[in-house]
Amino acid sequence: MAQATANRNNARRDFYDRIGGLSMAPLWEQLHQLVPPSPAPKYQAAHWDYDKVRPFLMESGSLITAKEAVRRVLILENPALPGSACITPTLYAGLQLILPGEVAPSHRHTQSALRFIVEGEGAYTAVDGERTLMREGDFVITPTWTWHDHGNESAKPMVWLDGLDIPIVAMFNASFAENGESDEQAITAPEGTSDAKFASGLLPVDWKPERQTSPIFNYPYSRTREALAGLAKAGPPDPCHGYKLRYVNPASGGAPIATMGTFMQLLPRGFATAPYRSTDGTVFSVVEGEGESRIGERTFRWKRRDHFVVPSWATVVHSAASESVLFSFSDRPIQERLDLWREDRGSH
Ligand code: GTQ
């Protein structure tokens, strides 16, 4: 019997070797891995404590200028994906530093970017000939293939979270990039133009969107925070999310960026979310408060300016020790377009 099994296995191995020469492989040896019964992510939950990260960010400021670096960023890399520059298999995240007086020169690329302002006030991003000044908690968009440069005319360092769809664009081999002719693009519209046109529940009467990306490129925290406070007064929190809003492209009702969904949630003091999981691996930036998140088997304590990542289908429970506000982003809009996105709200 044992001999028969050994013979059979040898015959199979020999067969696999011979078809391997023709660049073929037997599906049956890997079917269950290729089509698992539920998501089996090959990356892990992780947390970046801002107190530990910040000294290195500032040290990077004395090692290289923003101009030489083009973008002076420390990548937040998933510990299970070393060398990949990915925080999840579909998302890139990094912390970008711009010191007073610096300019990160103009360029454009097919990757879409979001900026979420972590520290500082008064630096600008220029997109499509218009500047916007940025403050903590603002969510700023750089649409695919638009010229963008960043500059800091304030007296203090500015740090923001960069979220890009780099791994997605890489998967499609659809990356194009160009450097601008000058460091700073020509400014053709006064600050506030895109706000006036698109951010007041109104749209210019004959305007037609040219792309899926939102025409608003700064969603200021002052308004987001006010909306959350109003929501919290209006009724009870959602058991799984607390008070959670999604950012929206006012022209479509969809996500502001085609590849990345962005969210902001308020957790009242002492509130713990009910166990929840969804198929979109999600990156969090803590805007206010402190608390902890149990992600699968691990628990991370967080506070303002920390970052953490929740893998696909990992069960998460957030507990807020003080009133807390969490920004997050994920690839949910793509998954929804592909009819792939799923969530599990437990019994809620
Ligand atoms: O600001 O354009 O973190 O192109 C990575 C790649 C930021 C940017 C990053 C980029 C940028």
Side-chain angles (χ1 to χ4, degrees):
M1 192 59 193
Q3 190 53 47
T5 306
N7 286 348
R8 189 199 67 190
N9 287 347
N10 285 340
R12 286 182 183 172
R13 221 167 293 126
D14 174 66
F15 174 76
Y16 302 159
D17 285 348
R18 285 181 288 120
I19 66 170
L22 287 175
S23 304
M24 297 196 292
L27 170 64
W28 58 86
E29 290 289 340
Q30 47 180 327
L31 180 58
H32 35 285
Q33 277 142 262
L34 291 176
V35 188
S38 62
K42 295 188 176 65
Y43 64 108
Q44 67 188 54
H47 167 244
W48 289 266
D49 178 338
Y50 197 64
D51 290 340
K52 292 191 182 145
V53 166
R54 191 178 188 281
F56 288 109
L57 259 179
M58 295 305 146
E59 192 179 335
S60 77
S62 60
L63 283 177
I64 191 163
T65 62
K67 187 171 161 68
E68 190 194 345
V70 183
R71 298 293 182 263
R72 191 206 287 113
V73 178
L74 298 185
I75 299 168
L76 304 182
E77 187 175 74
N78 196 284
L81 304 171
S84 68
C86 295
I87 192 160
T88 76
T90 56
L91 298 171
Y92 160 99
L95 290 170
Q96 178 157 180
L97 170 70
I98 297 219
L99 294 170
E102 286 193 318
V103 172
S106 182
H107 71 181
R108 65 174 176 174
H109 37 71
T110 46
Q111 290 81 358
S112 295
L114 66 86
R115 328 280 168 195
F116 185 72
I117 314 310
V118 171
E119 177 183 337
E121 168 169 11
Y124 67 82
T125 280
V127 173
D128 271 351
E130 184 182 334
R131 279 185 181 178
T132 184
L133 285 177
M134 302 181 285
R135 287 169 196 85
E136 283 176 25
D138 290 359
F139 158 54
V140 175
I141 289 177
T142 313
T144 172
W145 205 237
T146 51
W147 295 107
H148 54 286
D149 49 86
H150 318 295
N152 187 351
E153 293 172 350
S154 82
K156 291 203 173 134
M158 181 135 187
V159 176
W160 63 73
L161 173 69
D162 279 327
L164 285 89
D165 53 9
I166 289 173
I168 296 163
V169 177
M171 184 175 83
F172 292 119
N173 283 288
S175 179
F176 294 89
E178 285 178 0
N179 287 323
E181 281 180 1
S182 55
D183 285 354
E184 290 174 85
Q185 64 182 278
I187 299 304
T188 54
E191 202 190 329
T193 302
S194 74
D195 259 15
K197 285 183 172 171
F198 306 112
S200 306
L202 300 156
L203 296 172
V205 64
D206 289 323
W207 179 78
K208 295 269 182 310
E210 285 165 27
R211 53 189 176 222
Q212 293 176 57
T213 316
S214 174
I216 300 173
F217 65 97
N218 188 348
Y219 293 74
Y221 188 54
S222 52
R223 260 184 256 164
T224 310
R225 189 66 180 82
E226 205 177 298
L228 285 173
L231 199 61
K233 275 196 211 125
D238 177 88
C240 296
H241 299 308
Y243 299 98
K244 186 168 184 177
L245 295 168
R246 66 181 175 95
Y247 289 89
V248 70
N249 173 352
S252 68
I257 301 173
T259 47
M260 293 182 286
T262 44
F263 309 88
M264 193 75 100
Q265 72 198 100
L266 178 108
L267 305 172
R269 187 165 78 94
F271 183 77
T273 59
Y276 176 84
R277 57 186 177 168
S278 60
T279 52
D280 53 326
T282 304
V283 179
F284 287 83
S285 182
V286 182
V287 194
E288 290 181 33
E290 55 188 23
E292 62 179 43
S293 296
R294 180 161 57 77
I295 307 169
E297 306 292 300
R298 297 178 65 189
T299 299
F300 300 94
R301 294 192 56 78
W302 44 254
K303 56 175 173 21
R304 184 173 171 230
R305 294 174 170 155
D306 285 2
H307 294 84
F308 58 94
V309 58
V310 177
S312 167
W313 218 235
T315 299
V316 61
V317 172
H318 303 296
S319 311
S322 60
E323 184 180 64
S324 299
V325 179
L326 304 177
F327 170 83
S328 58
F329 74 97
S330 78
D331 62 14
R332 179 169 164 177
I334 314 179
Q335 294 200 29
E336 287 178 331
R337 287 259 173 155
L338 302 179
D339 291 340
L340 291 174
W341 186 78
R342 277 203 209 189
E343 64 178 349
D344 173 8
R345 293 177 54 89
S347 53
H348 302 277

